[in-house]
Amino acid sequence: MCRHQYGSEDINSSMDITQAREVLPKNVKPVHYDLTLEPNFENFTYEGKVVIDLDVVEDTTSISLNTIDLKIHSTQVTSGDQVIASSSELQYDEDTQTTKISLSDTIRAGSKAKLTHTFTGILNDNMTGFYRSSFKAQDGSTTYLATTQMEPTDARRAFPCFDEPALKAEFTITLIADKKMTCLSNMDVASEKELDSKITGGRRKAVTFNKTPLMSTYLLAFIVGELNYIETNNFRVPVRVYAPTDRDIEHGRFSLELAARTLDFYEKKFDSKFPLPKMDMIAIPDFSAGAMENWGLVTYRVVDLLIDEKVSGASTKQRVAETVQHELAHQWFGNLVTMDFWDGLWLNEGFATWMSWYSCDVFYPEWKVWEGYMTDNLASALSLDSLRSSHPIEVPVKRADEINQIFDAISYSKGSSVLRMISKYLGEDVFMEGVRHYLKKHAYGNTQTGDLWAALSNASGKDVEKVMDIWTKKVGFPVVTVTEDANTSSIHLKQNRFLRTADVKPEEDETLFPVFLGLRTKEGVNEDLALSTREADFKLKDLDFFKLNADHSGIYRTLYTAERLRKLGIAAKDGLLSVEDRAGMISDAGALAASGYQKTSGILSLLESFKSEPAFVVWQEITARISVLRSAWIFEEEEVKNALKKFQLDLTKDKAHELGWEYKDTDGHIEQQFKGMMFGTAGVAKDETIVKAAFDMFNKFKNGDSSAIHPNLRGSVYALVLSNGGKDEYEVVLNEALNANTSDERNTAMRALGRAKNPELIKRTLDLPLSEHVKGQDIYLPISGLRTHPEGIKALWSWMKDNWAELEKRLFPGLTMLSSVVSICTSSFTHEEHMKDIEKFFAGKSTKGFDRALAQSCDAIRAKSAWIKRDSEDIKTWLKEHRYM
Ligand code: BES
Ligand code: ZN
């Protein structure tokens, strides 16, 4: 481990990725499933029966299908009226999670067969497969619901199935439950009949849903529980938001209306009707991801669906909108047209991500979401992809533990950045035309990346595959070095692989990316230029003003000379650069300094020149740069750390005071966040007025004035009072974390707790994640605040070591959460010796399910350690010269 298992051996584009897959034998193909499930809320198991109609493709003597943790009671395989197998012939392979049924006779190719299993499953607590979730009913008693999370490979945990995205079939689902329960699935109800139950003998019903269209197993959903809903008819088919009965269902109103409008927008944009008879969206109290796009029944973490606009801030609202629009985009991209295997995951996630920004921008133009694309998505893509332990967008993955780990910034953010890049290059309208071709051609089918490029080529008349292929098949991205020749008025460009650790070996620098230059000059942007060779010269009219990567729609960093960077700083003030250009240029300069391509003093001077910057997004980047620097220096001498803090204060305080922290009803969406952010950063840098204001608001709040802290300031106020206060403040915030009305308020408080530095309070914070007070889905919340101070980082690491067995048990490798916890507990370290300790701890342990996260943490530490060694003196000198030290 920590030895970059994935890094440099990026796959050769001539290799066929499909060869590396581990899939079921292709002798039979499922056509239809008739599935009945009856959950038992007394002992948390369920009884199931599945009848699968199969097409026999090759002469068949055995049938293998996926199962995990299912107790199969009976098995029957028939072909025509002939019974060919029964229970005794089962063989289980734990490794591949398959059950193999040996047949007594051969079934001939071209015939049909029927496979029937009866089985018992567990309504588990792990948020995978068919699982249980709980909430407190109005009378205070705990109430359970049964719900599902199948993606990527847990449908096999719910029922025996051919659990691969390309094995699409039709499904008829029946759920049996107590009459007071609501039963939901992907489709609308076909029939409901009363039953005598096998389990309780009470008043039960069997709800059968209409047959689904052809679909993949990972998109199935079944839910049984006591639920409320609201409904809108603003879309062609009914749209509902469901929530457990303990929730104020009106908090679903915003998502409900948005969903109806979004579905209407998508079906017109895609020229493809939403094919199901209804759309339900439901808040689930225990949910491992943020949301899941099950066809016609989208499941959400409570905070990502329900919002009380009176108590939540603008960024929470934007996150809800993004999540809803992301999952609804999947109804086409993913659900209607599906990647043919998990190595094509980016086709799902990259597209849904891009599409959510696209639609959000149409619905809320005043939010200017694209301006923030660079600092959010592109930045996280470049950040992860600058590590040797990154991976190509299309990466071979076999088992669940590998598949789960690629739901990361590469699939989502680099994936959507690739789409943004090509959409800019072709023009958005042409791009959309290609998307419509793609959806039409592959509806109800499966695709590979090449199918998307073919559709885009078709629409544009350009060879899209030629320019895009490398971007999804190769790891990493380039840094483009710009040198200038004033005599010939030309620029010389050279591309090399960019690594944060700045130790690129020649064999890691062989890929030549097609780099779209997006050359901005006074004449406008030239979108046609590209660099596809190692180096080339480009002649300009003059060298007064130019910038590469206009709006940062290209996936690369640009390294200018120090003199050019200074001139660009001036150009920014003169209004020659867009918001994305300004933010992107700071981002590039920061990343290049952190990895040794430039001196860190250069970025400090650049940041200083941005003091009068008006745009929120640019300030987001400025503050992000300082916090990256301060966290890399978190274990260094107090004197330097204090000087950096002073620098931060000096840089941010004027803007913070200019904006103020009073809120008016007329404040726009961006302004609300801008005020909150500046209040927070200047406050963290110890602006006395702000710290005092935070305590004033907090004390009023403590004394019962529930509106004393504005929702957009809440996180910052908690952070400030906890890092400057003591036990009293902690008690109040803890009480909010446990008892506040909405999930958003509780989460904000829970996230802040770790800011308290007193050893006794650190201990109390660390007692929370594994206690009964914190749901499994929220483990990362209380620990994240601890990363803001050295005492916290060390305590967090000890906590992880001490509780490893428990963590491994609770967050077993099939979940992405173990990865997040490992990453949170290790990645804040900054020295080689820290890394040695991490390596020592994991030596000899299985790192299954989080090996990528671990390798990425180690790479990040290595990069920080090298940065500190390289620029420690440079920073000190700059801080002294500028009187911060
Ligand atoms: N398909 C994913 C949910 C998922 C994630 C399933 C990981 C299995 C493993 C869903 O569409 C998704 O991407 N959800 C995001 C929210 C979105 C707004 C980026 C999430 O869960 O964070
Ligand atoms: Zn998604």
Side-chain angles (χ1 to χ4, degrees), residues 149 151-152 218 287-293 304 319 322-324 326-327 330 345 348-349 352-353 356 404 407 412 816:
Q149 171 60 42
E151 191 182 18
Y218 80 90
F287 197 78
S288 68
M292 175 64 211
E293 69 265 25
D304 287 320
R319 162 75 188 179
E322 180 193 351
T323 311
V324 169
H326 175 109
E327 304 312 332
H330 275 311
L345 179 67
N348 273 13
E349 298 303 346
T353 301
S356 72
N404 263 305
F407 286 80
Y412 283 73
T816 45

Short mmCIF file of all heavy atoms in Angstrom, two decimals, residues 149 151-152 218 287-293 304 319 322-324 326-327 330 345 348-349 352-353 356 404 407 412 816, ligand 1:
data_model
loop_
_atom_site.label_atom_id
_atom_site.label_comp_id
_atom_site.label_asym_id
_atom_site.label_seq_id
_atom_site.Cartn_x
_atom_site.Cartn_y
_atom_site.Cartn_z
N GLN A 149 -30.80 0.10 -1.67
CA GLN A 149 -29.72 0.78 -2.37
C GLN A 149 -28.98 -0.31 -3.13
O GLN A 149 -28.24 -1.10 -2.55
CB GLN A 149 -28.77 1.50 -1.39
CG GLN A 149 -27.50 2.06 -2.03
CD GLN A 149 -27.78 3.08 -3.14
OE1 GLN A 149 -28.65 3.94 -3.03
NE2 GLN A 149 -27.04 2.97 -4.24
N GLU A 151 -27.13 0.17 -6.28
CA GLU A 151 -25.91 0.53 -7.00
C GLU A 151 -24.70 0.50 -6.07
O GLU A 151 -24.82 0.97 -4.96
CB GLU A 151 -26.03 1.92 -7.63
CG GLU A 151 -24.89 2.18 -8.61
CD GLU A 151 -24.92 3.58 -9.24
OE1 GLU A 151 -25.57 4.48 -8.72
OE2 GLU A 151 -24.24 3.74 -10.25
N PRO A 152 -23.55 0.01 -6.53
CA PRO A 152 -23.38 -0.62 -7.83
C PRO A 152 -23.76 -2.11 -7.86
O PRO A 152 -24.36 -2.54 -8.83
CB PRO A 152 -21.88 -0.46 -8.10
CG PRO A 152 -21.26 -0.33 -6.74
CD PRO A 152 -22.28 0.29 -5.84
N TYR A 218 -29.32 -2.55 -11.10
CA TYR A 218 -28.85 -1.60 -10.08
C TYR A 218 -29.79 -0.41 -9.91
O TYR A 218 -29.64 0.40 -9.01
CB TYR A 218 -27.42 -1.12 -10.40
CG TYR A 218 -27.32 -0.03 -11.45
CD1 TYR A 218 -27.37 1.32 -11.08
CD2 TYR A 218 -27.19 -0.34 -12.80
CE1 TYR A 218 -27.29 2.32 -12.03
CE2 TYR A 218 -27.10 0.65 -13.75
CZ TYR A 218 -27.15 1.98 -13.37
OH TYR A 218 -27.08 2.98 -14.31
N PHE A 287 -29.00 6.74 4.81
CA PHE A 287 -28.69 6.66 3.38
C PHE A 287 -27.21 6.90 3.18
O PHE A 287 -26.67 7.90 3.63
CB PHE A 287 -29.52 7.73 2.63
CG PHE A 287 -29.60 7.49 1.17
CD1 PHE A 287 -30.46 6.54 0.65
CD2 PHE A 287 -28.78 8.19 0.29
CE1 PHE A 287 -30.52 6.29 -0.71
CE2 PHE A 287 -28.82 7.95 -1.07
CZ PHE A 287 -29.70 6.99 -1.58
N SER A 288 -26.54 5.98 2.49
CA SER A 288 -25.07 6.08 2.46
C SER A 288 -24.57 7.17 1.52
O SER A 288 -23.62 7.88 1.84
CB SER A 288 -24.45 4.74 2.09
OG SER A 288 -24.74 4.43 0.75
N ALA A 289 -25.17 7.34 0.34
CA ALA A 289 -24.71 8.38 -0.58
C ALA A 289 -25.53 9.65 -0.35
O ALA A 289 -26.12 9.83 0.72
CB ALA A 289 -24.86 7.89 -2.02
N GLY A 290 -25.54 10.54 -1.33
CA GLY A 290 -26.37 11.74 -1.24
C GLY A 290 -27.76 11.45 -1.80
O GLY A 290 -28.77 11.85 -1.24
N ALA A 291 -27.78 10.74 -2.91
CA ALA A 291 -29.04 10.40 -3.55
C ALA A 291 -28.79 9.30 -4.56
O ALA A 291 -27.65 9.04 -4.94
CB ALA A 291 -29.63 11.61 -4.25
N MET A 292 -29.87 8.62 -4.98
CA MET A 292 -29.73 7.51 -5.92
C MET A 292 -30.86 7.56 -6.93
O MET A 292 -32.03 7.66 -6.58
CB MET A 292 -29.73 6.19 -5.14
CG MET A 292 -29.71 4.94 -6.01
SD MET A 292 -28.17 4.84 -6.97
CE MET A 292 -28.77 4.01 -8.43
N GLU A 293 -30.47 7.44 -8.20
CA GLU A 293 -31.38 7.73 -9.31
C GLU A 293 -32.32 6.60 -9.72
O GLU A 293 -32.78 6.58 -10.87
CB GLU A 293 -30.53 8.11 -10.52
CG GLU A 293 -29.68 6.95 -11.13
CD GLU A 293 -28.26 6.86 -10.63
OE1 GLU A 293 -27.99 7.34 -9.50
OE2 GLU A 293 -27.40 6.30 -11.33
N ASP A 304 -30.59 16.29 1.39
CA ASP A 304 -30.45 16.58 -0.03
C ASP A 304 -31.78 16.67 -0.76
O ASP A 304 -31.82 16.89 -1.97
CB ASP A 304 -29.55 15.52 -0.69
CG ASP A 304 -28.09 15.73 -0.29
OD1 ASP A 304 -27.66 16.88 -0.24
OD2 ASP A 304 -27.39 14.73 -0.01
N ARG A 319 -27.38 23.07 -3.21
CA ARG A 319 -27.03 21.65 -3.17
C ARG A 319 -28.28 20.79 -3.43
O ARG A 319 -28.22 19.81 -4.16
CB ARG A 319 -26.40 21.33 -1.80
CG ARG A 319 -26.37 19.86 -1.42
CD ARG A 319 -25.29 19.07 -2.16
NE ARG A 319 -25.45 17.63 -1.89
CZ ARG A 319 -24.70 16.66 -2.38
NH1 ARG A 319 -23.70 16.95 -3.18
NH2 ARG A 319 -24.92 15.42 -2.09
N GLU A 322 -29.04 21.03 -7.10
CA GLU A 322 -28.05 20.27 -7.86
C GLU A 322 -28.36 18.77 -7.77
O GLU A 322 -28.32 18.05 -8.77
CB GLU A 322 -26.65 20.55 -7.29
CG GLU A 322 -25.56 19.79 -8.01
CD GLU A 322 -24.21 19.81 -7.29
OE1 GLU A 322 -24.06 20.55 -6.29
OE2 GLU A 322 -23.31 19.06 -7.71
N THR A 323 -28.68 18.31 -6.57
CA THR A 323 -28.92 16.88 -6.38
C THR A 323 -30.15 16.43 -7.15
O THR A 323 -30.11 15.43 -7.87
CB THR A 323 -29.06 16.55 -4.87
OG1 THR A 323 -27.97 17.15 -4.18
CG2 THR A 323 -29.05 15.07 -4.63
N VAL A 324 -31.24 17.18 -7.03
CA VAL A 324 -32.46 16.82 -7.74
C VAL A 324 -32.19 16.79 -9.25
O VAL A 324 -32.53 15.84 -9.95
CB VAL A 324 -33.61 17.81 -7.41
CG1 VAL A 324 -34.80 17.61 -8.34
CG2 VAL A 324 -34.03 17.65 -5.95
N HIS A 326 -29.41 16.49 -10.84
CA HIS A 326 -28.44 15.43 -11.15
C HIS A 326 -29.18 14.08 -11.28
O HIS A 326 -29.05 13.37 -12.28
CB HIS A 326 -27.38 15.38 -10.04
CG HIS A 326 -26.39 14.27 -10.15
ND1 HIS A 326 -25.07 14.48 -10.50
CD2 HIS A 326 -26.50 12.93 -9.96
CE1 HIS A 326 -24.42 13.33 -10.51
NE2 HIS A 326 -25.27 12.36 -10.19
N GLU A 327 -29.98 13.74 -10.28
CA GLU A 327 -30.65 12.44 -10.30
C GLU A 327 -31.67 12.36 -11.43
O GLU A 327 -31.85 11.31 -12.05
CB GLU A 327 -31.34 12.14 -8.96
CG GLU A 327 -30.43 12.18 -7.72
CD GLU A 327 -29.13 11.41 -7.86
OE1 GLU A 327 -29.08 10.43 -8.64
OE2 GLU A 327 -28.13 11.80 -7.21
N HIS A 330 -30.05 11.56 -14.69
CA HIS A 330 -29.77 10.12 -14.79
C HIS A 330 -30.96 9.35 -15.37
O HIS A 330 -30.77 8.25 -15.89
CB HIS A 330 -29.51 9.53 -13.40
CG HIS A 330 -28.10 9.65 -12.92
ND1 HIS A 330 -27.00 9.31 -13.68
CD2 HIS A 330 -27.60 10.02 -11.71
CE1 HIS A 330 -25.89 9.48 -12.96
NE2 HIS A 330 -26.23 9.92 -11.77
N LEU A 345 -18.47 4.06 -15.95
CA LEU A 345 -19.27 4.81 -14.98
C LEU A 345 -19.35 6.31 -15.30
O LEU A 345 -20.36 6.97 -15.07
CB LEU A 345 -18.69 4.62 -13.57
CG LEU A 345 -19.41 5.38 -12.45
CD1 LEU A 345 -20.81 4.83 -12.23
CD2 LEU A 345 -18.62 5.31 -11.15
N ASN A 348 -22.37 7.78 -16.96
CA ASN A 348 -23.47 8.09 -16.05
C ASN A 348 -23.19 9.37 -15.26
O ASN A 348 -23.92 10.33 -15.32
CB ASN A 348 -23.64 6.98 -15.01
CG ASN A 348 -24.53 5.86 -15.48
OD1 ASN A 348 -24.84 5.78 -16.66
ND2 ASN A 348 -24.92 5.00 -14.56
N GLU A 349 -22.12 9.29 -14.47
CA GLU A 349 -21.90 10.33 -13.45
C GLU A 349 -21.37 11.63 -14.03
O GLU A 349 -21.74 12.71 -13.59
CB GLU A 349 -20.99 9.81 -12.33
CG GLU A 349 -21.56 8.60 -11.57
CD GLU A 349 -22.94 8.88 -10.96
OE1 GLU A 349 -23.34 10.05 -10.87
OE2 GLU A 349 -23.61 7.91 -10.56
N ALA A 352 -24.47 13.27 -15.73
CA ALA A 352 -25.46 13.81 -14.78
C ALA A 352 -24.89 15.06 -14.10
O ALA A 352 -25.62 16.02 -13.85
CB ALA A 352 -25.83 12.75 -13.74
N THR A 353 -23.60 15.05 -13.83
CA THR A 353 -22.99 16.21 -13.20
C THR A 353 -23.02 17.41 -14.16
O THR A 353 -23.50 18.49 -13.80
CB THR A 353 -21.53 15.89 -12.78
OG1 THR A 353 -21.57 14.78 -11.88
CG2 THR A 353 -20.87 17.07 -12.11
N SER A 356 -26.56 18.72 -14.57
CA SER A 356 -27.16 19.44 -13.45
C SER A 356 -26.69 20.90 -13.46
O SER A 356 -27.44 21.80 -13.11
CB SER A 356 -26.84 18.76 -12.11
OG SER A 356 -25.49 18.93 -11.77
N ASN A 404 -16.82 0.47 -6.14
CA ASN A 404 -17.24 1.54 -5.24
C ASN A 404 -16.25 2.69 -5.19
O ASN A 404 -16.63 3.85 -5.01
CB ASN A 404 -17.40 0.98 -3.82
CG ASN A 404 -18.85 0.66 -3.54
OD1 ASN A 404 -19.70 1.51 -3.68
ND2 ASN A 404 -19.11 -0.58 -3.19
N PHE A 407 -16.41 5.93 -7.67
CA PHE A 407 -17.40 7.01 -7.55
C PHE A 407 -16.65 8.20 -6.93
O PHE A 407 -16.84 8.55 -5.78
CB PHE A 407 -18.58 6.58 -6.68
CG PHE A 407 -19.51 5.62 -7.37
CD1 PHE A 407 -19.21 4.27 -7.44
CD2 PHE A 407 -20.68 6.09 -7.96
CE1 PHE A 407 -20.07 3.39 -8.09
CE2 PHE A 407 -21.54 5.21 -8.61
CZ PHE A 407 -21.23 3.86 -8.68
N TYR A 412 -16.81 11.79 -11.62
CA TYR A 412 -17.78 12.89 -11.57
C TYR A 412 -17.18 14.17 -12.17
O TYR A 412 -17.72 14.73 -13.11
CB TYR A 412 -18.19 13.18 -10.12
CG TYR A 412 -19.17 12.19 -9.55
CD1 TYR A 412 -18.77 10.90 -9.21
CD2 TYR A 412 -20.49 12.53 -9.33
CE1 TYR A 412 -19.67 9.99 -8.68
CE2 TYR A 412 -21.41 11.62 -8.80
CZ TYR A 412 -20.98 10.35 -8.47
OH TYR A 412 -21.88 9.45 -7.95
N THR A 816 -18.63 3.11 0.36
CA THR A 816 -17.64 4.16 0.08
C THR A 816 -17.22 4.87 1.36
O THR A 816 -16.25 5.59 1.37
CB THR A 816 -18.23 5.20 -0.89
OG1 THR A 816 -19.55 5.51 -0.46
CG2 THR A 816 -18.27 4.66 -2.30
N1 BES B 1 -25.50 7.15 -8.63
C1 BES B 1 -25.13 8.01 -7.57
C2 BES B 1 -25.32 7.40 -6.21
C3 BES B 1 -24.23 6.44 -5.78
C4 BES B 1 -23.02 6.91 -5.34
C5 BES B 1 -24.44 5.08 -5.80
C6 BES B 1 -22.04 6.04 -4.93
C7 BES B 1 -23.46 4.20 -5.41
C8 BES B 1 -22.25 4.68 -4.97
C9 BES B 1 -25.95 9.31 -7.62
O1 BES B 1 -26.44 9.64 -8.86
C10 BES B 1 -25.03 10.42 -7.22
O2 BES B 1 -24.14 10.70 -7.97
N2 BES B 1 -25.24 11.02 -6.06
C11 BES B 1 -24.40 12.08 -5.56
C12 BES B 1 -25.13 13.40 -5.54
C13 BES B 1 -24.88 14.27 -6.71
C14 BES B 1 -25.53 15.62 -6.53
C15 BES B 1 -23.43 14.46 -7.06
C16 BES B 1 -24.01 11.72 -4.16
O3 BES B 1 -24.51 10.73 -3.65
O4 BES B 1 -23.24 12.46 -3.56
#
